[in-house]
Protein backbone atom coordinates (compact mmCIF):
# COMPACT_ATOMS: atom_id res chain seq x y z
CA UNK A 1 0.00 0.00 0.00
CA UNK A 2 1.49 3.28 -1.14
CA UNK A 3 1.61 5.95 1.56
CA UNK A 4 2.95 9.48 1.82
CA UNK A 5 3.21 11.41 5.08
CA UNK A 6 4.05 15.07 4.66
CA UNK A 7 5.12 17.37 7.50
CA UNK A 8 6.89 20.64 8.25
CA UNK A 9 4.37 23.21 7.08
CA UNK A 10 3.23 26.20 9.07
CA UNK A 11 2.76 29.95 9.15
CA UNK A 12 5.75 32.02 8.09
CA UNK A 13 6.31 35.66 7.21
CA UNK A 14 7.30 36.69 3.69
CA UNK A 15 11.03 36.16 3.23
CA UNK A 16 11.09 33.31 5.73
CA UNK A 17 12.04 29.66 5.32
CA UNK A 18 10.53 26.25 5.92
CA UNK A 19 11.71 22.69 5.38
CA UNK A 20 9.13 20.11 4.38
CA UNK A 21 9.55 16.36 4.75
CA UNK A 22 7.71 13.48 3.11
CA UNK A 23 8.08 9.90 4.30
CA UNK A 24 7.08 7.42 1.60
CA UNK A 25 6.33 3.69 1.77
CA UNK A 26 4.79 0.88 -0.22
CA UNK A 27 6.89 1.17 -3.37
CA UNK A 28 10.54 1.10 -4.42
CA UNK A 29 11.50 4.60 -3.30
CA UNK A 30 15.17 4.46 -4.26
CA UNK A 31 14.34 3.77 -7.93
CA UNK A 32 11.59 6.39 -8.17
CA UNK A 33 11.79 10.00 -9.28
CA UNK A 34 10.11 11.96 -6.50
CA UNK A 35 8.30 15.26 -6.66
CA UNK A 36 6.72 17.95 -4.54
CA UNK A 37 3.36 19.28 -5.66
CA UNK A 38 1.26 22.09 -4.27
CA UNK A 39 -2.35 23.15 -4.51
CA UNK A 40 -3.41 26.68 -3.70
CA UNK A 41 -7.05 27.52 -2.94
CA UNK A 42 -9.11 27.48 -6.13
CA UNK A 43 -6.21 26.26 -8.25
CA UNK A 44 -5.10 22.96 -9.72
CA UNK A 45 -2.35 20.94 -8.16
CA UNK A 46 1.02 21.72 -9.75
CA UNK A 47 4.45 20.11 -9.71
CA UNK A 48 7.00 22.48 -8.19
CA UNK A 49 10.12 20.32 -7.93
CA UNK A 50 11.32 16.83 -8.71
CA UNK A 51 14.46 14.82 -8.11
CA UNK A 52 15.74 11.89 -10.12
CA UNK A 53 16.47 8.49 -8.62
CA UNK A 54 19.56 8.11 -10.78
CA UNK A 55 22.81 8.39 -8.85
CA UNK A 56 24.63 8.61 -12.21
CA UNK A 57 23.02 12.02 -12.78
CA UNK A 58 23.88 13.08 -9.22
CA UNK A 59 20.15 12.92 -8.51
CA UNK A 60 19.32 15.64 -11.03
CA UNK A 61 16.59 18.03 -9.93
CA UNK A 62 14.27 20.42 -11.71
CA UNK A 63 11.98 23.23 -10.61
CA UNK A 64 9.01 25.24 -11.73
CA UNK A 65 10.01 28.74 -12.77
CA UNK A 66 8.01 30.21 -9.90
CA UNK A 67 10.23 28.55 -7.27
CA UNK A 68 13.58 28.28 -9.06
CA UNK A 69 16.52 29.57 -7.02
CA UNK A 70 14.37 29.65 -3.86
CA UNK A 71 13.43 26.00 -3.31
CA UNK A 72 15.73 22.98 -3.10
CA UNK A 73 14.58 19.38 -3.27
CA UNK A 74 16.65 16.55 -1.79
CA UNK A 75 16.22 12.91 -0.87
CA UNK A 76 17.43 10.36 1.67
CA UNK A 77 17.02 6.88 0.22
CA UNK A 78 17.98 5.24 3.51
CA UNK A 79 14.95 6.90 5.13
CA UNK A 80 12.62 6.78 2.10
CA UNK A 81 12.18 10.50 2.60
CA UNK A 82 12.15 13.49 0.28
CA UNK A 83 12.64 17.06 1.48
CA UNK A 84 11.83 20.53 0.20
CA UNK A 85 13.84 23.44 1.54
CA UNK A 86 11.91 26.64 0.86
CA UNK A 87 13.63 30.00 1.22
CA UNK A 88 12.56 33.56 0.46
CA UNK A 89 8.94 32.54 0.75
CA UNK A 90 6.28 34.69 -0.87
CA UNK A 91 2.53 34.97 -0.18
CA UNK A 92 1.91 33.23 -3.51
CA UNK A 93 3.67 30.14 -2.14
CA UNK A 94 0.72 29.63 0.20
CA UNK A 95 -0.71 26.18 -0.56
CA UNK A 96 -1.03 22.62 0.64
CA UNK A 97 2.12 20.75 -0.31
CA UNK A 98 2.14 17.07 -1.27
CA UNK A 99 4.70 14.57 -2.48
CA UNK A 100 4.34 11.71 -4.93
CA UNK A 101 6.44 9.69 -7.29
CA UNK A 102 6.73 11.31 -10.72
CA UNK A 103 6.40 9.58 -14.06
CA UNK A 104 6.80 11.64 -17.26
CA UNK A 105 5.87 14.76 -15.35
CA UNK A 106 2.72 13.29 -13.84
CA UNK A 107 2.08 11.80 -10.41
CA UNK A 108 2.65 8.07 -10.55
CA UNK A 109 0.23 7.03 -7.83
CA UNK A 110 -3.44 7.90 -7.38
CA UNK A 111 -3.15 7.91 -3.61
CA UNK A 112 -2.00 11.10 -1.89
CA UNK A 113 -1.06 11.97 1.65
CA UNK A 114 -2.85 14.54 3.76
CA UNK A 115 -0.42 17.22 2.65
CA UNK A 116 1.11 19.94 4.78
CA UNK A 117 -0.20 23.49 4.76
CA UNK A 118 2.19 26.36 4.14
CA UNK A 119 0.86 29.83 4.81
CA UNK A 120 2.99 32.85 3.98
CA UNK A 121 1.56 35.98 5.54
CA UNK A 122 2.48 38.98 7.68
Amino acid sequence: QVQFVESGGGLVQPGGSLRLSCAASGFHFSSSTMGWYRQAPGKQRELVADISWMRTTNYADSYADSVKDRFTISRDNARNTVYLQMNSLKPEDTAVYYCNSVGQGNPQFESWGQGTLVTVSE
Side-chain angles (χ1 to χ4, degrees):
Q1 182 181 0
V2 173
Q3 286 190 325
F4 302 103
V5 180
E6 299 92 350
S7 61
L11 174 63
V12 62
Q13 292 185 334
S17 298
L18 283 174
R19 188 190 192 213
L20 307 183
S21 300
C22 171
S25 61
F27 64 100
H28 207 271
F29 180 89
S30 61
S31 62
S32 299
T33 294
M34 293 299 299
W36 279 98
Y37 296 79
R38 69 184 180 187
Q39 187 166 21
K43 295 188 176 181
Q44 287 190 329
R45 192 173 295 172
E46 61 171 345
L47 177 65
V48 296
D50 63 63
I51 184 166
S52 169
W53 61 273
M54 296 179 68
R55 189 185 299 180
T56 53
T57 68
N58 199 27
Y59 304 111
D61 51 8
S62 63
Y63 301 89
D65 288 344
S66 58
V67 306
K68 201 171 293 183
D69 299 325
R70 299 189 298 119
F71 290 10
T72 302
I73 189 171
S74 60
R75 65 190 298 158
D76 184 340
N77 287 341
R79 290 183 165 84
N80 281 13
T81 299
V82 61
Y83 304 96
L84 187 67
Q85 177 66 44
M86 305 186 298
N87 299 329
S88 302
L89 282 161
K90 304 175 181 180
E92 51 264 43
D93 295 318
T94 295
V96 180
Y97 285 72
Y98 304 87
C99 72
N100 204 318
S101 178
V102 180
Q104 297 182 332
N106 296 312
Q108 184 174 356
F109 299 110
E110 291 185 355
S111 60
W112 294 86
Q114 82 289 350
T116 187
L117 176 62
V118 172
T119 303
V120 185
S121 179
E122 294 285 358

